[in-house]
Amino acid sequence: MNKPFTFLTARRALLISAVALAAGCAQQAPKPQPAPEPVRLMTSGGFTAAHKLLAPQFTAQTGIAVESAYGSSMGASPTSIPNRLSQGEKADVVILARGALDQLAAQGLVVPGTQIDLVRSAVGVAVKKGAPIPDISSEDKLRQVLLNAKSIAYSASASGTYYETQMLKKLGIHDQVMPKSKKIVTERVGTIVARGEAEIGLQQVSELLPIEGVSYVGTLPDSVQHYTFFSAGTASTSTNPQGLEQLLKFYTSPAAAKAIRDTGLEPVAKPR
């Protein structure tokens, strides 16, 4: 004899149906995708300001995080990029002065043949904010400014190497000016000038512009100007070729050009 269909029976049937439906949905629900592997990037000071603008845009567009490390293109500082790599610190891509990048490739720390020029950078001059702005519009005027200055700070990287080995000799004032010049190894030249520890600072324009407490004077005259190309190369420790390729594609795109120019650099890379 059939039992009557009661309220409790109906409720039990609904519960069974709900449990079965939930189980089916759980089986069909897609598994969450793991986050993309981050790109590990090392950059020297010349490209740092541009990178700090571009990296968040890249992550927003691709979902790929960028792990950043900073250091000079050359020099004995423990944080210089050559020292970081030689001590085993891992990276996917390094961005630094082209000459230093080529040396890393020769040492096997960067994969030979992966170097690409990203930007061109000029050398500029800065003074402490509020100080008189010197006239460096010609070679003769720059020469006089350097001779009159009580102290001068210059970079331990590419622009500083040019300053101490070529520029002062071109101006004919090497012996007079070098004794009052100080090479800055562990921080930005502009920071030294802002603290009043040097009257004048010379460094890549892109490294002077972000520093608070200084007034940017301008670039060196064309006759003594020295351009440095900052270039990217694949680190020999790279484990993320796909993420690296996406990052370089973005950094060489027309969309990145404005941020690069805003930081005092000139884009030179062809879109990938």
Side-chain angles (χ1 to χ4, degrees):
M1 181 176 179
N2 294 330
K3 294 182 179 179
F5 188 78
T6 65
F7 172 75
L8 290 175
T9 306
R11 184 178 180 186
R12 182 179 300 164
L14 287 172
L15 287 172
I16 293 171
S17 298
V19 170
L21 179 61
C25 291
Q27 291 175 357
Q28 297 174 8
K31 294 181 179 179
Q33 295 297 315
E37 181 182 350
V39 177
R40 298 168 301 180
L41 181 145
M42 289 186 187
T43 182
S44 62
F47 195 73
T48 292
H51 167 65
K52 287 183 175 180
L53 290 177
L54 294 173
Q57 298 176 29
F58 169 74
T59 299
Q61 180 175 302
T62 64
I64 301 173
V66 182
E67 296 179 355
S68 305
Y70 304 98
S72 59
S73 291
M74 58 191 72
S77 168
T79 60
S80 73
I81 291 176
N83 279 339
R84 283 179 178 271
L85 293 175
S86 63
Q87 292 166 9
E89 191 168 336
K90 300 190 183 306
D92 291 303
V93 59
V94 293
I95 300 175
L96 65 167
R98 181 57 189 260
L101 184 67
D102 290 342
Q103 289 181 16
L104 294 180
Q107 296 166 15
L109 297 172
V110 164
V111 179
T114 62
Q115 304 99 304
I116 59 167
D117 293 334
L118 296 179
V119 298
R120 188 176 79 159
S121 178
V123 180
V125 174
V127 296
K128 185 177 174 63
K129 192 170 184 177
I133 303 297
D135 184 353
I136 60 168
S137 58
S138 69
E139 186 174 319
D140 287 341
K141 290 178 179 178
L142 173 65
R143 181 185 295 108
Q144 198 58 50
V145 166
L146 296 176
L147 287 170
N148 292 343
K150 295 182 175 63
S151 57
I152 301 165
Y154 68 99
S155 169
S157 197
S159 62
T161 300
Y162 168 69
Y163 171 82
E164 66 184 6
T165 63
Q166 297 182 53
M167 189 187 103
L168 295 181
K169 291 178 181 177
K170 285 184 180 180
L171 293 171
I173 55 175
H174 183 273
D175 293 344
Q176 299 99 306
V177 173
M178 272 308 296
K180 59 182 179 180
S181 299
K182 181 180 180 181
K183 180 186 290 187
I184 308 304
V185 176
T186 58
E187 55 188 330
R188 298 282 186 92
V189 167
T191 304
I192 299 296
V193 174
R195 292 203 298 260
E197 296 174 14
E199 186 177 327
I200 290 177
L202 289 90
Q203 197 166 24
Q204 307 292 340
V205 173
S206 58
E207 297 188 62
L208 293 174
L209 290 180
I211 305 300
E212 295 183 4
V214 303
S215 295
Y216 172 63
V217 177
T219 57
L220 299 178
D222 289 342
S223 59
V224 291
Q225 181 57 262
H226 177 74
Y227 292 98
T228 299
F229 286 85
F230 287 89
S231 311
T234 302
S236 59
T237 55
S238 176
T239 59
N240 189 2
Q242 292 83 10
L244 165 59
E245 178 58 31
Q246 288 189 62
L247 182 138
L248 291 179
K249 184 176 182 180
F250 179 74
Y251 278 29
T252 59
S253 69
K258 182 182 185 302
I260 288 172
R261 291 192 179 95
D262 286 347
T263 59
L265 298 168
E266 178 186 349
V268 296
K270 296 179 180 178
R272 294 170 73 87

